[in-house]
Amino acid sequence: MKNIGLKFFAVCTILGASSLFAGGADLYKRCTGCHGVNGEKKALGKSEVIKAWETEKTFAALKGYKDGSYGGAMKGVMKGQVSRLSDDDLKAISEHISTLK
């Protein structure tokens, strides 16, 4: 039983640490289905196009989605997408989005 607990802890640690090593481009891959590879799409036809948004604007929006203080029609969908991401993850995604052309 003790061995199972150690294995579970090890798996959780590895999974948690994996986002620490993921760059903004890797993290953004989760977003492409709705926002497009270059942020060129209105997500589900309802959001703004996020292509080339400034880092600060994107980070504020993502933090707002995470804490529930931002968003309109897509608020619930986005909260689910960002709820498990750290501030560092959100910063990395925000920085990546600012480079999309």
Side-chain angles (χ1 to χ4, degrees), residues 23-34:
D26 288 335
L27 291 168
Y28 181 76
K29 288 178 183 176
R30 303 175 192 178
C31 311
T32 60
C34 293

Side-chain angles (χ1 to χ4, degrees), residues 3-40:
N3 196 17
I4 292 172
L6 288 174
K7 286 180 183 178
F8 178 74
F9 176 75
V11 169
C12 289
T13 301
I14 291 167
L15 290 175
S18 66
S19 71
L20 293 175
F21 301 110
D26 288 335
L27 291 168
Y28 181 76
K29 288 178 183 176
R30 303 175 192 178
C31 311
T32 60
C34 293
H35 289 284
V37 174
N38 294 308
E40 75 281 2

Side-chain angles (χ1 to χ4, degrees), residues 12-81:
C12 289
T13 301
I14 291 167
L15 290 175
S18 66
S19 71
L20 293 175
F21 301 110
D26 288 335
L27 291 168
Y28 181 76
K29 288 178 183 176
R30 303 175 192 178
C31 311
T32 60
C34 293
H35 289 284
V37 174
N38 294 308
E40 75 281 2
K41 294 181 183 177
K42 291 183 173 191
L44 303 175
K46 297 180 182 184
S47 75
E48 293 182 43
V49 172
I50 61 170
K51 184 178 190 171
W53 271 21
E54 293 180 8
T55 301
E56 297 78 18
K57 178 178 179 177
T58 305
F59 183 72
L62 293 173
K63 286 283 288 182
Y65 279 125
K66 189 173 180 176
D67 68 20
S69 65
Y70 180 86
M74 303 310 295
K75 189 175 191 171
V77 173
M78 283 299 298
K79 183 171 179 71
Q81 296 300 311

